[in-house]
Amino acid sequence: MIIIKKYPNRRLYDTSRSQYVNLDYIKTLIEDGKEFQVIDSKSEDDITKSILLQIISESETNDNQSLLTNSLLKQLIRFYDSDMQFFVRQYLEQSLVSFIEQQDKMQGMMKNMVETSPFGMFNKMMEQNLEAWKRSHNQKK
């Protein structure tokens, strides 16, 4: 678990690397699937969620990267402090996990299709021929 401390001057410090970092670094940690926690340096409170929300907020200002429409945000806000809040959270988490699993399966299927297509087989043959040529060329030296 990577511990990142947030100081009063709003700077973030990665204790595992002993260096200051920024939100782009944290976004890279997320994309790489690394586990981390952001701690307030004074209170020692876990403020990871507020940092994650800040990253989302900054991403949402770019219309090309936006995932959350105004309509969706309004719907989410309506579920806060309601009897359904817990179920909506579970539903959203499970839906994203299922979506990611399906996406991984599709990518695997596409990779398999490319590898077994005539072009993929030809490419593999060419790679094998090139390796054989390199081996024979190196033996002659």
Side-chain angles (χ1 to χ4, degrees), residues 4 6 10 12 23 26 30 36 38-39 47-57:
I4 298 173
K6 184 176 182 188
R10 298 175 57 190
L12 300 167
L23 290 180
I26 293 176
I30 295 165
F36 66 92
V38 183
I39 305 292
I47 58 169
T48 307
K49 186 181 284 189
S50 68
I51 296 298
L52 296 174
L53 287 169
Q54 186 177 351
I55 291 169
I56 288 173
S57 178

Side-chain angles (χ1 to χ4, degrees), residues 29-135:
L29 290 178
I30 295 165
E31 291 166 353
D32 293 345
K34 304 257 172 94
E35 291 295 322
F36 66 92
Q37 186 176 31
V38 183
I39 305 292
D40 183 275
S41 66
K42 280 189 174 182
S43 67
E44 297 291 318
D45 290 339
D46 181 353
I47 58 169
T48 307
K49 186 181 284 189
S50 68
I51 296 298
L52 296 174
L53 287 169
Q54 186 177 351
I55 291 169
I56 288 173
S57 178
E58 287 183 9
S59 295
E60 284 296 312
T61 59
N62 181 346
D63 286 335
N64 295 332
Q65 290 182 325
S66 181
L67 291 176
L68 306 172
T69 63
N70 288 344
S71 176
L72 177 60
L73 288 169
K74 289 174 187 175
Q75 293 296 331
L76 288 174
I77 290 168
R78 286 185 185 112
F79 282 110
Y80 281 93
D81 297 327
S82 76
D83 296 339
M84 297 299 290
Q85 182 175 347
F86 174 75
F87 298 108
V88 170
R89 179 177 50 206
Q90 279 189 317
Y91 174 77
L92 291 173
E93 283 182 21
Q94 290 172 355
S95 295
L96 277 175
V97 167
S98 294
F99 178 78
I100 291 168
E101 287 172 356
Q102 291 299 319
Q103 185 181 25
D104 289 345
K105 284 181 185 176
M106 286 298 292
Q107 287 176 347
M109 287 173 44
M110 293 301 288
K111 182 180 178 193
N112 187 34
M113 283 176 36
V114 168
E115 289 174 354
T116 58
S117 72
F119 179 74
M121 294 172 89
F122 178 74
N123 190 33
K124 193 172 188 175
M125 238 179 9
M126 292 299 293
E127 287 174 1
Q128 290 171 347
N129 289 343
L130 182 60
E131 284 300 315
W133 180 81
K134 285 179 182 178
R135 280 193 303 270

